[in-house]
Amino acid sequence: WAKACGPECAAAHIVAERRRRIAKEVKQAKIDRMDRNDWIAAVQKVFNAYIRERDRDQPCICCGKYFDEKGTLTGGQWDAGHYLSRGSAGHLRFVENNVHKQLKGHNRPGGTTRAQFRAGMIERIGLAAVEALEADQAPRHYTIDDLKAMKAEYAAKLKQLKKGQP
């Protein structure tokens, strides 16, 4: 069956199809050029979005507030805060128990103390789980294939949460 009503429409359709094909090829070329660090960053982005959505109805892990001083929930004021930081405990960067919704101001230098964060962690996941995190020194070496699978897994989990499914 015809995709166009006439020569002008056919030409426009051909141009649009070519643009879509080129955009798809460019996107795939970018993915093909990604190295391990690029994949870690890609997983981190979707993992953090998943954590923020998972903790959507939870208060800030550090102060227990549901909003900042202005009382708004807009403007991207929430981070996925790592109790044991990615810098000092990179092996725990994708451990869900280590990461919780946190006000951006608390996830910056001088924003909160480790004691406040630890108290929130104990309240949220329990002392035993916090101590297990603190003792966890197991190395995690992710291959690019592992990272691709993790990105897909967290994207699917995020999609489920946004649909209202656990």
Side-chain angles (χ1 to χ4, degrees):
W1 68 295
K3 292 186 179 184
C5 59
E8 294 85 16
C9 288
H13 178 74
I14 289 168
V15 168
E17 283 293 320
R18 184 177 299 138
R19 285 185 179 150
R20 279 191 286 273
R21 189 188 81 248
I22 290 170
K24 187 176 179 180
E25 289 170 0
V26 166
K27 183 177 179 182
Q28 187 60 47
K30 286 180 182 178
I31 290 171
D32 293 343
R33 285 192 308 268
M34 288 175 65
D35 64 12
R36 187 173 175 279
N37 288 335
D38 294 330
W39 279 106
I40 288 173
V43 175
Q44 193 70 63
K45 184 176 179 178
V46 72
F47 176 80
N48 289 353
Y50 164 74
I51 294 296
R52 287 190 303 271
E53 188 65 27
R54 178 198 70 187
D55 293 356
R56 176 185 190 92
D57 298 327
Q58 297 286 334
C60 174
I61 191 76
C62 297
C63 69
K65 292 182 182 178
Y66 286 91
F67 49 82
D68 70 3
E69 298 76 38
K70 297 174 190 164
T72 64
L73 285 173
T74 60
Q77 64 180 284
W78 297 103
D79 276 346
H82 290 72
Y83 169 58
L84 299 170
S85 73
R86 296 181 317 190
S88 65
H91 60 291
L92 299 176
R93 76 184 309 139
F94 300 125
V95 174
E96 292 181 27
N97 257 358
N98 186 46
V99 190
H100 298 274
K101 183 176 90 171
Q102 182 182 36
L103 283 167
K104 277 193 186 292
H106 292 171
N107 199 21
R108 303 293 183 265
T112 191
T113 65
R114 182 175 164 123
Q116 288 171 308
F117 204 143
R118 190 172 196 274
M121 291 284 291
I122 291 169
E123 186 176 321
R124 180 97 35 105
I125 66 172
L127 180 60
V130 171
E131 289 176 342
L133 272 174
E134 292 168 341
D136 186 346
Q137 294 301 316
R140 289 159 177 89
H141 302 286
Y142 302 114
T143 65
I144 289 177
D145 287 338
D146 294 336
L147 294 165
K148 287 178 181 180
M150 289 169 66
K151 183 175 186 253
E153 174 190 350
Y154 281 107
K157 284 181 165 186
L158 177 61
K159 188 175 180 179
Q160 277 187 313
L161 283 179
K162 286 187 174 186
K163 284 183 177 178
Q165 301 169 353

